[in-house]
Amino acid sequence: MNIGVDAAALGMANATTASTNDVNSGYWNPAGLVHLEDHQLSLMHANYFANIAQYDYIAYANSIDDESSWGISLIRFGVDDIMNTTELIDSQGNINYNRISLFSTADYGATFSYARKLQVPGFQYGINAKVIHRIIGKFASSWGFGFDAGLQFEKNDWQFGLMLRDITTTYNVWSINEVEYKKIANAIPGQNQELPENTEITAPKAQLGLSKKFIIRYDYSILAAANLNMLFAKTNDIISTDFVSIDPALGFEFGYTDLVFLRAGAGNFQKIQQIDNSEKIGFQPNIGLGFKYKGIQIDYALTNLGNLSAALYSNIFSVKVDLGLFRN
């Protein structure tokens, strides 16, 4: 739930808290859903870690009336066809390759979103209810629940956004298959003797955003956006205290006649300790490209999961469709 969705946003280093205004707002800031005028559908696929992991996303949103909208989305991040070799060697020490089986480990996140305009001009809010489901083959699974809240404000062509994730703290409760666990309990003497903890907690996070779109000679546009991503713990972000750590992100989108888009962004600014104990600042650059024609938008982003030197680049594709175009 932390990676992000939509190649257009990922190409701008996720700096979209203030500017998001389509079906993907359910993830970035549900308040942006009020800008919808009709049905929208979004799809995304990405491969991570040299195609080992698959990341997929689908979302649908629609306006309820002039004041409110709703949406729903589903995310899956999984690794499939993992070999289970826990029964490769039997109790007599014989190797039998027919005892190898395959399993998948996957995380699912379903989000239900609602957004509404406030009575104060320029303000809108949104809320998310999230259901989290995680599975590790037949060994273990978990269920979790959480809530997000978002706010947007617009004035004089400036856009401001605030996104509060997991505001009530999101809890995942695991169920361990004890029969399967016992099969590996003594695989290594002295290890795996006790069941793992069955509760997983996701602490609240906050994102503060600012953006503005500049129109140049009618045909050209530049969207500039910035985010301050806040985690209430001490990390290696470039701004870090015992109370909060702040990771800034910057994104830009150059558009031509609302048809072709070029994007770039930088985020994930981290303090990296060197071998000689000195520190340098590392960051994650992103670039992207998009095409939009008659309500169908195809976007591409070249990005990665972490620091430039520590992770492989990932190619991300997404499609967004205004379904109102297909009405008779």
Side-chain angles (χ1 to χ4, degrees), residues 48 56 68 75 137 167 197 206 241 262 269 279:
Y48 282 116
D56 296 287
S68 59
I75 291 175
I167 55 174
E197 294 183 8
T241 68
L262 295 175
F269 290 88
E279 287 187 346

Side-chain angles (χ1 to χ4, degrees), residues 70-87:
W70 73 278
I72 185 173
S73 66
L74 177 65
I75 291 175
R76 180 188 187 271
F77 190 100
V79 179
D80 300 306
D81 297 329
I82 303 170
M83 288 193 295
N84 176 14
T85 60
T86 57
E87 299 181 45

Side-chain angles (χ1 to χ4, degrees), residues 43 48 55 65 75 87-88 123 131 156 188 198 237 313:
L43 302 167
Y48 282 116
Y55 183 40
D65 50 39
I75 291 175
E87 299 181 45
L88 174 63
F123 278 94
V131 179
N156 298 331
I188 301 177
N198 62 359
D237 291 333
Y313 274 96

Side-chain angles (χ1 to χ4, degrees), residues 100-121:
I100 295 177
S101 58
L102 300 177
F103 70 96
S104 297
T105 177
D107 297 345
Y108 297 87
T111 302
F112 305 88
S113 307
Y114 174 79
R116 188 172 185 85
K117 293 181 180 179
L118 292 172
Q119 296 299 317
V120 181

Side-chain angles (χ1 to χ4, degrees), residues 114-312:
Y114 174 79
R116 188 172 185 85
K117 293 181 180 179
L118 292 172
Q119 296 299 317
V120 181
F123 278 94
Q124 53 257 359
Y125 74 92
I127 56 174
N128 287 337
K130 301 184 296 187
V131 179
I132 311 299
H133 181 47
R134 309 182 70 184
I135 59 170
I136 305 176
K138 57 185 178 181
F139 306 103
S141 64
S142 75
W143 287 95
F145 305 90
F147 295 90
D148 305 328
L151 184 69
Q152 284 185 335
F153 173 63
E154 304 170 20
K155 187 174 183 179
N156 298 331
D157 296 326
W158 287 92
Q159 296 173 305
F160 305 86
L162 176 65
M163 178 63 168
L164 302 176
R165 298 185 180 275
D166 305 297
I167 55 174
T168 59
T169 303
T170 296
Y171 292 87
N172 272 278
V173 179
W174 284 89
S175 174
I176 310 295
N177 187 328
E178 296 190 29
V179 174
E180 293 296 326
Y181 187 80
K182 288 179 180 179
K183 295 179 181 179
I184 63 171
N186 296 310
I188 301 177
Q191 295 189 21
N192 301 321
Q193 301 301 305
E194 297 180 2
L195 291 174
E197 294 183 8
N198 62 359
T199 303
E200 196 172 28
I201 298 174
T202 303
K205 297 177 288 293
Q207 295 171 312
L208 185 64
L210 170 68
S211 70
K212 186 174 183 179
K213 191 171 187 177
F214 303 88
I215 305 299
I216 304 173
R217 294 185 179 180
Y218 302 102
D219 291 336
Y220 303 94
S221 66
I222 297 177
L223 174 64
N227 257 31
L228 293 178
N229 304 312
M230 293 169 278
L231 181 65
F232 299 100
K234 190 169 185 177
T235 68
N236 62 335
D237 291 333
I238 60 172
I239 303 173
S240 182
T241 68
D242 291 335
F243 173 69
V244 64
S245 297
I246 301 176
D247 171 29
L250 301 172
F252 298 91
E253 179 187 79
F254 173 79
Y256 173 68
T257 65
D258 200 32
L259 179 66
V260 181
F261 304 92
L262 295 175
R263 305 181 182 97
N268 195 24
F269 290 88
Q270 304 284 313
K271 297 176 183 177
I272 303 175
Q273 189 170 18
Q274 305 301 298
I275 297 177
D276 60 0
N277 290 325
S278 64
E279 287 187 346
K280 76 170 187 178
I281 302 299
F283 68 96
Q284 175 185 322
N286 304 316
I287 58 174
L289 179 67
F291 299 94
K292 183 178 179 181
Y293 182 69
K294 291 186 177 180
I296 299 176
Q297 182 169 328
I298 300 175
D299 296 297
Y300 164 79
L302 181 64
T303 182
N304 66 6
L305 282 175
N307 178 264
L308 176 62
S309 62
L312 298 174

